[in-house]
Amino acid sequence: MNEHRNSQRLIVAGGRKLQGEIAVQGAKNSVLPLLAATVLCKGTAVLHNCPKLTDADAAFRILDCLGCKCEREKSVVTVNGEAMCNNQVPDGVIQEMRSSIVFLGAILGRCGNCRWSTPGGCELGARPIDYHLEAFRQMGVEVENDAGFMNCTAPKGIQGARISLPFPSVGATENIMLAAVTANGSTEIHNAAREPEIVDLANFLRKCGAKISGEGSSTIAIEGVKELYGAEHTVIPDRIVTATYMCCAAITRGELLLTKTKQDDLSPILPVFERIGCSVYTYSDDKIYINARKPLSSPKKIVTHVHPGFPTDAQALLMALTTVLPGTTIFEENIFECRYKHAGELGRLGAKINVKERVAVVEGVKRLSGAAVKSTDLRGGAALVVAGLAAEGVTKIGNIHHIDRGYESIEDALHSVGANIKRS
Ligand code: EPZ
């Protein structure tokens, strides 16, 4: 199966204006910490709007290894965390997905000890976890590195602590929250991440009985409780997938109605589309209409920041769009050390992009030409789909397993609004 999946390609014939309606999937970066949180719960948790993604499947495999019973019925996932009977997960299962590290906080919160495979880097760079481990040490966890594993023990149990993060890391904030909700005493997280996925996790944990406040701000306060009980929760919409489909509408000069989305989470992104010249209408909080029939031009500069700044995950997607917008666009990537790998592949389609360290300069060209390209990572792969929709001729995109990590049947969604795209 793996070989077959890795040999699959997306074949895109460019030139079609997109028109129609797409219902946006649940957020990958929310469902992963939510699934980890079910480990802490007695009884059963029910998560609605769970997207069908290979990263979600990897999380289910981790839960299965722990002994938690997982069931999926369409987009509804049920997890019985109480059934957990093991705190060891095979190295190979952990290594399938870098963000499996978020299970460590939950397992420590549940059992107080764990031997966990040290996550490697990924396409975006080293991806260190020093902020996570330093916070756990402050919470009474002893971490010993042992041949690629971390032996984590808490002789006196997990203790609440006052933690100041050197950087508002999303994963570290989530891991600390998961370890703190059933810790002895209170925890304060200073310089916490403010992303919508943090707020979603806090909302779910509170439904399960956690005492937590301040989520969405830079200071989160948590008072440890004895037990959590599984609750019912709906995963927030995926703001990066929303931005992806908006780029698809814009690059094809089409119009799309995006439903089941959440405009509040898009506040850093929507103004960029308006600066480009798109007409963007938001109504009833969960619907966004984008029309790109007017002449478009470069947004001039896009600088990525932590939330509520422009999200790093949308950088590749907007870069694909700007390759065919008149004018020069300067990108500044401030979150990851090498998040421009897609620039080379976009160049194979005729894009003019000059990368120097954290800055990429895009000179808009009149047209792109279809070619064979390879996904370099999740969002870089999606960027090639965006570009392929506008490129003259056929674009063949390989390594699409990267895309399947975060997009639920991207070809079906785009085909339903007029794109000539298929998986082969
Ligand atoms: C989450 O990754 C997301 N992944 C990423 O989305 C997203 O790009 C990132 O947050 C930033 O928003 C998930 O939620 C599963 P960080 P995470 O810790 O938690 C450095 C996608 O495309 N750092 O906020 O790993 C780190 O190297 C993915 O959906 C340390 O130095 O991101 C990076 O430069 C890609 N030490 C910066 O902080 C640490 O201990 C931000 O990382 C932790 C992080």
Side-chain angles (χ1 to χ4, degrees), residues 231-253:
E232 198 142 359
H233 184 74
T234 299
V235 180
I236 56 170
D238 194 309
R239 57 200 170 100
I240 307 304
V241 169
T242 304
T244 305
Y245 292 137
M246 292 181 76
C247 287
C248 294
I251 204 165
T252 61
R253 303 300 192 271

mmCIF file of all heavy atoms in Angstrom, residues 231-253:
data_model
loop_
_atom_site.group_PDB
_atom_site.id
_atom_site.type_symbol
_atom_site.label_atom_id
_atom_site.label_comp_id
_atom_site.label_asym_id
_atom_site.label_seq_id
_atom_site.Cartn_x
_atom_site.Cartn_y
_atom_site.Cartn_z
ATOM 1 N N ALA A 231 -15.663 13.918 26.304
ATOM 2 C CA ALA A 231 -16.814 14.769 25.945
ATOM 3 C C ALA A 231 -16.989 14.734 24.430
ATOM 4 O O ALA A 231 -16.180 14.154 23.704
ATOM 5 C CB ALA A 231 -16.544 16.208 26.421
ATOM 6 N N GLU A 232 -18.037 15.385 23.974
ATOM 7 C CA GLU A 232 -18.340 15.480 22.540
ATOM 8 C C GLU A 232 -17.844 16.856 22.052
ATOM 9 O O GLU A 232 -17.994 17.858 22.766
ATOM 10 C CB GLU A 232 -19.856 15.372 22.337
ATOM 11 C CG GLU A 232 -20.247 15.030 20.932
ATOM 12 C CD GLU A 232 -21.453 14.052 20.889
ATOM 13 O OE1 GLU A 232 -21.958 13.647 21.966
ATOM 14 O OE2 GLU A 232 -21.859 13.722 19.781
ATOM 15 N N HIS A 233 -17.220 16.902 20.882
ATOM 16 C CA HIS A 233 -16.626 18.164 20.420
ATOM 17 C C HIS A 233 -16.552 18.151 18.890
ATOM 18 O O HIS A 233 -16.419 17.082 18.286
ATOM 19 C CB HIS A 233 -15.211 18.288 21.004
ATOM 20 C CG HIS A 233 -14.514 19.583 20.677
ATOM 21 N ND1 HIS A 233 -14.841 20.784 21.279
ATOM 22 C CD2 HIS A 233 -13.509 19.871 19.814
ATOM 23 C CE1 HIS A 233 -14.056 21.731 20.783
ATOM 24 N NE2 HIS A 233 -13.237 21.214 19.907
ATOM 25 N N THR A 234 -16.669 19.336 18.307
ATOM 26 C CA THR A 234 -16.533 19.468 16.839
ATOM 27 C C THR A 234 -15.226 20.189 16.514
ATOM 28 O O THR A 234 -14.991 21.293 17.020
ATOM 29 C CB THR A 234 -17.728 20.247 16.255
ATOM 30 O OG1 THR A 234 -18.928 19.509 16.533
ATOM 31 C CG2 THR A 234 -17.591 20.409 14.744
ATOM 32 N N VAL A 235 -14.406 19.538 15.705
ATOM 33 C CA VAL A 235 -13.099 20.092 15.338
ATOM 34 C C VAL A 235 -13.308 21.368 14.518
ATOM 35 O O VAL A 235 -14.178 21.407 13.636
ATOM 36 C CB VAL A 235 -12.301 19.067 14.494
ATOM 37 C CG1 VAL A 235 -10.943 19.613 14.085
ATOM 38 C CG2 VAL A 235 -12.148 17.756 15.273
ATOM 39 N N ILE A 236 -12.508 22.395 14.793
ATOM 40 C CA ILE A 236 -12.672 23.667 14.045
ATOM 41 C C ILE A 236 -12.296 23.455 12.569
ATOM 42 O O ILE A 236 -11.538 22.535 12.237
ATOM 43 C CB ILE A 236 -11.785 24.784 14.640
ATOM 44 C CG1 ILE A 236 -10.307 24.384 14.687
ATOM 45 C CG2 ILE A 236 -12.308 25.253 15.974
ATOM 46 C CD1 ILE A 236 -9.369 25.536 15.044
ATOM 47 N N PRO A 237 -12.774 24.323 11.689
ATOM 48 C CA PRO A 237 -12.422 24.224 10.273
ATOM 49 C C PRO A 237 -10.928 24.483 10.059
ATOM 50 O O PRO A 237 -10.289 25.168 10.870
ATOM 51 C CB PRO A 237 -13.246 25.347 9.620
ATOM 52 C CG PRO A 237 -14.334 25.636 10.582
ATOM 53 C CD PRO A 237 -13.753 25.393 11.935
ATOM 54 N N ASP A 238 -10.406 23.945 8.962
ATOM 55 C CA ASP A 238 -8.970 24.095 8.677
ATOM 56 C C ASP A 238 -8.723 25.424 7.940
ATOM 57 O O ASP A 238 -9.079 25.566 6.765
ATOM 58 C CB ASP A 238 -8.487 22.911 7.817
ATOM 59 C CG ASP A 238 -6.979 22.831 7.789
ATOM 60 O OD1 ASP A 238 -6.344 23.863 7.508
ATOM 61 O OD2 ASP A 238 -6.429 21.739 8.086
ATOM 62 N N ARG A 239 -8.102 26.362 8.639
ATOM 63 C CA ARG A 239 -7.908 27.700 8.064
ATOM 64 C C ARG A 239 -6.897 27.689 6.905
ATOM 65 O O ARG A 239 -6.980 28.500 5.991
ATOM 66 C CB ARG A 239 -7.463 28.682 9.161
ATOM 67 C CG ARG A 239 -6.210 28.270 9.902
ATOM 68 C CD ARG A 239 -6.080 28.975 11.255
ATOM 69 N NE ARG A 239 -4.998 28.384 12.034
ATOM 70 C CZ ARG A 239 -3.770 28.927 12.136
ATOM 71 N NH1 ARG A 239 -3.515 30.064 11.576
ATOM 72 N NH2 ARG A 239 -2.833 28.324 12.854
ATOM 73 N N ILE A 240 -5.976 26.728 6.933
ATOM 74 C CA ILE A 240 -4.953 26.676 5.864
ATOM 75 C C ILE A 240 -5.550 26.030 4.614
ATOM 76 O O ILE A 240 -5.288 26.458 3.491
ATOM 77 C CB ILE A 240 -3.702 25.910 6.329
ATOM 78 C CG1 ILE A 240 -3.170 26.485 7.654
ATOM 79 C CG2 ILE A 240 -2.628 25.948 5.233
ATOM 80 C CD1 ILE A 240 -2.853 27.958 7.646
ATOM 81 N N VAL A 241 -6.414 25.059 4.806
ATOM 82 C CA VAL A 241 -7.116 24.466 3.647
ATOM 83 C C VAL A 241 -8.046 25.519 3.035
ATOM 84 O O VAL A 241 -8.144 25.643 1.814
ATOM 85 C CB VAL A 241 -7.884 23.206 4.075
ATOM 86 C CG1 VAL A 241 -8.817 22.728 2.981
ATOM 87 C CG2 VAL A 241 -6.918 22.086 4.466
ATOM 88 N N THR A 242 -8.683 26.336 3.901
ATOM 89 C CA THR A 242 -9.527 27.441 3.389
ATOM 90 C C THR A 242 -8.683 28.368 2.511
ATOM 91 O O THR A 242 -9.065 28.693 1.386
ATOM 92 C CB THR A 242 -10.127 28.233 4.564
ATOM 93 O OG1 THR A 242 -10.852 27.354 5.427
ATOM 94 C CG2 THR A 242 -11.063 29.330 4.052
ATOM 95 N N ALA A 243 -7.510 28.743 3.023
ATOM 96 C CA ALA A 243 -6.616 29.640 2.253
ATOM 97 C C ALA A 243 -6.180 28.982 0.952
ATOM 98 O O ALA A 243 -6.057 29.652 -0.085
ATOM 99 C CB ALA A 243 -5.394 30.002 3.095
ATOM 100 N N THR A 244 -5.999 27.671 0.989
ATOM 101 C CA THR A 244 -5.577 26.938 -0.215
ATOM 102 C C THR A 244 -6.624 27.057 -1.309
ATOM 103 O O THR A 244 -6.317 27.408 -2.456
ATOM 104 C CB THR A 244 -5.340 25.452 0.123
ATOM 105 O OG1 THR A 244 -4.403 25.342 1.197
ATOM 106 C CG2 THR A 244 -4.851 24.675 -1.101
ATOM 107 N N TYR A 245 -7.886 26.818 -0.943
ATOM 108 C CA TYR A 245 -8.948 26.872 -1.965
ATOM 109 C C TYR A 245 -9.194 28.316 -2.418
ATOM 110 O O TYR A 245 -9.540 28.569 -3.576
ATOM 111 C CB TYR A 245 -10.218 26.207 -1.451
ATOM 112 C CG TYR A 245 -10.053 24.708 -1.277
ATOM 113 C CD1 TYR A 245 -10.529 24.038 -0.164
ATOM 114 C CD2 TYR A 245 -9.372 23.960 -2.237
ATOM 115 C CE1 TYR A 245 -10.346 22.669 -0.007
ATOM 116 C CE2 TYR A 245 -9.185 22.589 -2.096
ATOM 117 C CZ TYR A 245 -9.673 21.950 -0.978
ATOM 118 O OH TYR A 245 -9.484 20.588 -0.837
ATOM 119 N N MET A 246 -8.942 29.279 -1.535
ATOM 120 C CA MET A 246 -9.051 30.680 -1.967
ATOM 121 C C MET A 246 -7.972 30.989 -3.015
ATOM 122 O O MET A 246 -8.244 31.661 -4.014
ATOM 123 C CB MET A 246 -8.917 31.625 -0.761
ATOM 124 C CG MET A 246 -10.095 31.541 0.200
ATOM 125 S SD MET A 246 -9.948 32.663 1.611
ATOM 126 C CE MET A 246 -10.369 34.224 0.826
ATOM 127 N N CYS A 247 -6.775 30.430 -2.814
ATOM 128 C CA CYS A 247 -5.712 30.624 -3.815
ATOM 129 C C CYS A 247 -6.092 29.960 -5.139
ATOM 130 O O CYS A 247 -5.810 30.501 -6.215
ATOM 131 C CB CYS A 247 -4.403 30.032 -3.305
ATOM 132 S SG CYS A 247 -3.628 31.003 -2.007
ATOM 133 N N CYS A 248 -6.758 28.816 -5.066
ATOM 134 C CA CYS A 248 -7.185 28.111 -6.298
ATOM 135 C C CYS A 248 -8.202 28.959 -7.054
ATOM 136 O O CYS A 248 -8.135 29.077 -8.285
ATOM 137 C CB CYS A 248 -7.788 26.758 -5.946
ATOM 138 S SG CYS A 248 -6.610 25.602 -5.226
ATOM 139 N N ALA A 249 -9.118 29.573 -6.335
ATOM 140 C CA ALA A 249 -10.106 30.447 -6.992
ATOM 141 C C ALA A 249 -9.398 31.634 -7.619
ATOM 142 O O ALA A 249 -9.635 31.978 -8.791
ATOM 143 C CB ALA A 249 -11.133 30.930 -5.970
ATOM 144 N N ALA A 250 -8.475 32.237 -6.865
ATOM 145 C CA ALA A 250 -7.821 33.463 -7.339
ATOM 146 C C ALA A 250 -6.940 33.184 -8.556
ATOM 147 O O ALA A 250 -7.001 33.916 -9.548
ATOM 148 C CB ALA A 250 -6.990 34.085 -6.216
ATOM 149 N N ILE A 251 -6.157 32.100 -8.526
ATOM 150 C CA ILE A 251 -5.200 31.866 -9.616
ATOM 151 C C ILE A 251 -5.918 31.489 -10.910
ATOM 152 O O ILE A 251 -5.386 31.681 -12.003
ATOM 153 C CB ILE A 251 -4.147 30.812 -9.231
ATOM 154 C CG1 ILE A 251 -2.866 31.002 -10.061
ATOM 155 C CG2 ILE A 251 -4.700 29.388 -9.355
ATOM 156 C CD1 ILE A 251 -1.666 30.258 -9.533
ATOM 157 N N THR A 252 -7.152 30.981 -10.799
ATOM 158 C CA THR A 252 -7.903 30.620 -12.020
ATOM 159 C C THR A 252 -8.869 31.732 -12.415
ATOM 160 O O THR A 252 -9.662 31.560 -13.350
ATOM 161 C CB THR A 252 -8.714 29.309 -11.794
ATOM 162 O OG1 THR A 252 -9.648 29.534 -10.717
ATOM 163 C CG2 THR A 252 -7.799 28.135 -11.471
ATOM 164 N N ARG A 253 -8.793 32.870 -11.642
ATOM 165 C CA ARG A 253 -9.687 34.004 -11.916
ATOM 166 C C ARG A 253 -11.152 33.577 -11.825
ATOM 167 O O ARG A 253 -12.005 34.017 -12.591
ATOM 168 C CB ARG A 253 -9.399 34.625 -13.293
ATOM 169 C CG ARG A 253 -7.977 35.091 -13.499
ATOM 170 C CD ARG A 253 -7.565 36.161 -12.493
ATOM 171 N NE ARG A 253 -6.316 36.811 -12.859
ATOM 172 C CZ ARG A 253 -5.111 36.378 -12.486
ATOM 173 N NH1 ARG A 253 -5.012 35.274 -11.779
ATOM 174 N NH2 ARG A 253 -4.005 37.031 -12.831
#
